[in-house]
Coordinates of all heavy atoms in Angstrom, one line a residue:
T12 N 101.5 150.9 -105.5 CA 101.9 149.7 -105.4 C 100.6 148.7 -104.9 O 100.4 147.6 -105.3 CB 103.0 149.4 -104.4 OG1 104.1 150.4 -104.9 CG2 103.6 148.1 -104.2
A13 N 99.9 149.3 -104.1 CA 98.6 148.5 -103.5 C 97.7 148.3 -104.5 O 97.0 147.3 -104.5 CB 98.2 149.3 -102.3
H14 N 97.6 149.2 -105.4 CA 96.6 149.2 -106.6 C 97.1 148.3 -107.8 O 96.6 148.5 -108.7 CB 96.2 150.6 -106.9 CG 95.2 151.2 -106.0 ND1 93.9 151.6 -106.5 CD2 95.3 151.7 -104.8 CE1 93.2 152.2 -105.5 NE2 93.9 152.2 -104.4
K15 N 98.2 147.8 -107.5 CA 99.0 146.9 -108.6 C 99.3 147.8 -109.8 O 99.2 147.3 -110.9 CB 98.1 145.7 -109.0 CG 97.8 144.9 -107.9 CD 96.9 143.6 -108.2 CE 96.7 142.6 -107.2 NZ 96.4 143.0 -105.9
L16 N 99.9 148.9 -109.5 CA 100.3 149.9 -110.5 C 101.7 150.5 -110.2 O 102.1 151.4 -110.1 CB 99.5 151.2 -110.7 CG 98.1 150.9 -111.4 CD1 97.3 152.2 -111.1 CD2 98.1 150.4 -112.8
P17 N 102.6 149.4 -109.9 CA 104.0 149.8 -109.4 C 104.9 150.5 -110.5 O 105.9 151.1 -110.1 CB 104.6 148.6 -109.0 CG 104.0 147.4 -109.7 CD 102.6 148.0 -110.0
V18 N 104.6 150.4 -111.7 CA 105.5 150.9 -112.8 C 105.1 152.4 -113.0 O 105.8 153.0 -113.8 CB 105.1 150.1 -114.1 CG1 105.6 148.7 -114.0 CG2 103.8 150.3 -114.6
V19 N 104.0 152.9 -112.4 CA 103.8 154.4 -112.4 C 104.9 155.3 -111.7 O 104.9 155.1 -110.5 CB 102.4 154.7 -112.0 CG1 101.9 156.2 -112.2 CG2 101.2 153.9 -112.8
A20 N 105.4 156.2 -112.3 CA 106.3 157.2 -111.7 C 105.5 158.2 -111.1 O 104.3 158.7 -111.5 CB 107.3 157.6 -112.7
V21 N 106.0 158.9 -110.0 CA 105.4 160.0 -109.3 C 106.4 161.2 -109.2 O 107.5 160.9 -108.7 CB 104.7 159.7 -107.9 CG1 104.2 161.0 -107.3 CG2 103.8 158.5 -108.1
K22 N 106.2 162.3 -109.9 CA 107.3 163.3 -109.9 C 106.6 164.8 -109.7 O 105.5 164.9 -110.1 CB 107.9 163.3 -111.4 CG 108.7 162.1 -111.8 CD 109.3 162.0 -113.0 CE 110.2 160.9 -113.2 NZ 110.9 160.9 -114.7
R23 N 107.6 165.5 -109.1 CA 107.1 166.9 -109.2 C 107.2 167.5 -110.3 O 108.1 167.4 -111.1 CB 108.1 167.5 -108.2 CG 107.5 169.0 -107.7 CD 108.5 169.8 -106.8 NE 109.2 170.6 -107.7 CZ 110.4 171.1 -107.4 NH1 110.9 170.8 -106.3 NH2 111.0 171.7 -108.3
S24 N 106.2 168.2 -110.9 CA 106.0 169.0 -112.2 C 106.9 170.3 -112.1 O 107.1 170.7 -111.0 CB 104.5 169.2 -112.4 OG 104.4 169.6 -113.8
N25 N 107.1 170.8 -113.2 CA 107.9 172.1 -113.4 C 109.2 172.0 -112.6 O 109.4 172.8 -111.7 CB 106.9 173.2 -112.9 CG 105.6 173.3 -113.4 OD1 105.5 173.0 -114.6 ND2 104.5 173.3 -112.8
Q26 N 110.1 171.1 -112.9 CA 111.3 171.0 -112.3 C 112.2 172.2 -112.7 O 112.0 172.7 -113.8 CB 112.1 169.6 -112.7 CG 111.4 168.4 -112.1 CD 111.7 168.2 -110.8 OE1 112.6 168.8 -110.1 NE2 110.9 167.5 -109.9
P27 N 113.2 172.5 -112.0 CA 114.1 173.5 -112.4 C 114.8 173.2 -113.7 O 115.2 174.2 -114.4 CB 115.2 173.7 -111.2 CG 114.5 172.9 -110.1 CD 113.5 171.9 -110.6
T28 N 115.1 172.0 -114.0 CA 115.7 171.7 -115.3 C 114.7 171.0 -116.1 O 113.9 170.0 -115.5 CB 117.0 170.7 -115.1 OG1 116.6 169.7 -114.4 CG2 118.0 171.6 -114.3
D29 N 114.7 171.3 -117.4 CA 113.6 170.7 -118.3 C 114.2 169.2 -118.7 O 115.3 169.2 -119.4 CB 113.4 171.6 -119.5 CG 112.3 171.1 -120.3 OD1 111.5 170.2 -119.9 OD2 112.1 171.7 -121.5
Q30 N 113.5 168.2 -118.3 CA 113.8 166.7 -118.7 C 112.9 166.2 -119.7 O 113.2 165.1 -120.2 CB 113.8 166.0 -117.4 CG 114.8 166.4 -116.3 CD 116.3 166.4 -116.7 OE1 116.7 165.6 -117.5 NE2 116.9 167.5 -116.3
G31 N 111.8 166.9 -120.1 CA 110.8 166.3 -121.0 C 109.9 165.4 -120.2 O 110.2 165.0 -119.1
P32 N 108.9 165.1 -121.0 CA 107.9 164.2 -120.3 C 108.4 162.6 -120.0 O 109.4 162.2 -120.8 CB 106.7 163.9 -121.3 CG 107.4 164.4 -122.6 CD 108.5 165.2 -122.3
D33 N 107.9 162.1 -119.0 CA 108.2 160.7 -118.7 C 107.7 159.8 -119.8 O 106.7 159.9 -120.3 CB 107.7 160.3 -117.3 CG 108.4 159.2 -116.7 OD1 108.2 158.0 -116.9 OD2 109.4 159.5 -115.9
P34 N 108.6 158.7 -120.3 CA 108.2 157.9 -121.3 C 107.0 156.9 -120.9 O 106.3 156.5 -121.8 CB 109.5 157.2 -121.7 CG 110.3 157.3 -120.4 CD 110.0 158.5 -119.9
G35 N 107.0 156.7 -119.7 CA 106.0 155.7 -119.2 C 104.9 156.4 -118.5 O 104.8 157.7 -118.5
P36 N 103.9 155.7 -117.9 CA 102.9 156.3 -117.1 C 103.4 157.0 -116.0 O 104.4 156.6 -115.3 CB 102.0 155.0 -116.7 CG 102.8 154.0 -116.8 CD 104.0 154.2 -117.8
C37 N 103.0 158.3 -115.8 CA 103.5 159.1 -114.7 C 102.3 160.0 -114.0 O 101.5 160.5 -114.7 CB 104.6 159.8 -115.3 SG 105.5 160.9 -114.0
L38 N 102.4 160.3 -112.7 CA 101.7 161.3 -112.0 C 102.6 162.4 -111.7 O 103.6 162.2 -111.2 CB 101.0 160.7 -110.8 CG 100.0 159.8 -110.9 CD1 99.6 159.1 -109.6 CD2 98.7 160.4 -111.5
Y39 N 102.2 163.7 -112.1 CA 103.0 164.8 -111.8 C 102.1 165.7 -110.7 O 100.9 165.7 -110.8 CB 103.1 165.7 -113.1 CG 104.0 165.0 -114.2 CD1 103.4 164.5 -115.3 CD2 105.3 165.0 -113.9 CE1 104.2 163.8 -116.2 CE2 106.2 164.4 -115.1 CZ 105.5 163.8 -116.1 OH 106.4 163.3 -117.1
F40 N 102.8 166.3 -109.9 CA 102.1 167.3 -108.9 C 102.9 168.5 -108.8 O 104.1 168.5 -109.0 CB 102.0 166.4 -107.6 CG 103.2 166.1 -107.0 CD1 103.8 167.0 -106.0 CD2 103.9 164.9 -107.1 CE1 105.0 166.8 -105.4 CE2 105.2 164.6 -106.4 CZ 105.7 165.6 -105.6
F41 N 102.2 169.6 -108.5 CA 102.8 170.9 -108.2 C 101.8 171.6 -107.2 O 100.6 171.4 -107.2 CB 103.2 171.7 -109.4 CG 102.0 172.2 -110.2 CD1 101.4 173.3 -110.1 CD2 101.5 171.3 -111.3 CE1 100.4 173.7 -110.7 CE2 100.4 171.6 -111.9 CZ 99.8 172.8 -111.7
V42 N 102.4 172.5 -106.4 CA 101.6 173.4 -105.6 C 101.0 174.4 -106.4 O 101.7 175.2 -107.1 CB 102.6 174.0 -104.5 CG1 101.8 175.1 -103.6 CG2 103.1 172.9 -103.6
V43 N 99.7 174.6 -106.1 CA 98.8 175.7 -106.8 C 98.9 176.9 -105.7 O 99.1 178.0 -106.2 CB 97.4 175.2 -107.0 CG1 96.7 176.4 -107.7 CG2 97.5 174.0 -108.0
T44 N 98.5 176.7 -104.6 CA 98.4 177.8 -103.6 C 98.7 177.3 -102.2 O 98.6 176.1 -101.9 CB 97.0 178.4 -103.5 OG1 96.1 177.3 -103.1 CG2 96.5 178.9 -104.8
H45 N 99.2 178.4 -101.4 CA 99.3 178.0 -99.9 C 98.3 179.3 -99.4 O 98.5 180.4 -99.6 CB 100.7 178.6 -99.4 CG 101.8 177.5 -99.9 ND1 101.8 176.2 -99.3 CD2 102.8 177.5 -100.8 CE1 102.8 175.5 -99.9 NE2 103.5 176.5 -100.7
H46 N 97.5 178.8 -98.6 CA 96.5 179.7 -97.9 C 96.5 179.6 -96.4 O 96.4 178.5 -95.9 CB 95.0 179.3 -98.4 CG 94.0 180.1 -97.7 ND1 93.7 181.4 -98.0 CD2 93.0 179.6 -96.8 CE1 92.6 181.8 -97.3 NE2 92.3 180.8 -96.5
R47 N 96.8 180.8 -95.9 CA 96.8 180.8 -94.4 C 95.4 180.8 -93.9 O 94.7 181.6 -94.4 CB 97.4 182.1 -93.8 CG 98.9 182.1 -94.2 CD 99.6 183.4 -93.7 NE 101.1 183.4 -94.1 CZ 102.0 182.9 -93.4 NH1 101.7 182.2 -92.4 NH2 103.1 182.9 -93.8
Y48 N 95.0 180.0 -93.0 CA 93.6 179.8 -92.4 C 93.6 180.3 -91.0 O 94.4 180.0 -90.2 CB 93.2 178.4 -92.5 CG 91.8 178.2 -92.1 CD1 90.8 178.5 -93.0 CD2 91.4 177.8 -90.8 CE1 89.4 178.4 -92.7 CE2 90.1 177.7 -90.5 CZ 89.1 178.0 -91.4 OH 87.7 177.8 -91.1
G49 N 92.7 181.4 -90.8 CA 92.5 181.9 -89.5 C 93.7 182.8 -89.3 O 94.3 183.5 -89.9
S50 N 93.9 183.1 -87.9 CA 95.0 184.0 -87.3 C 95.9 183.2 -86.6 O 95.7 182.1 -86.1 CB 94.5 185.1 -86.6 OG 93.7 184.6 -85.4
P51 N 97.2 183.6 -86.5 CA 98.3 182.9 -85.7 C 98.0 182.7 -84.3 O 97.4 183.6 -83.7 CB 99.5 183.7 -85.9 CG 99.1 184.6 -87.0 CD 97.8 184.8 -87.1

């Protein structure tokens, strides 16, 4: 919104139900890895 792109959707990729690609501009995100750093 601050970059004057409020029409861009932001969605989690690889949803449990397949909805197909978004018809408009979209950013998709998903987790690649969780890495434990150091010791507890």
Side-chain angles (χ1 to χ4, degrees):
T12 301
H14 280 243
K15 297 181 177 42
L16 293 166
V18 297
V19 178
V21 178
K22 297 182 177 182
R23 196 183 88 200
S24 188
N25 307 315
Q26 291 284 344
T28 58
D29 190 11
Q30 302 296 325
D33 200 272
C37 187
L38 289 170
Y39 295 99
F40 65 92
F41 65 92
V42 173
V43 177
T44 61
H45 292 292
H46 171 72
R47 294 179 182 281
Y48 185 79
S50 57

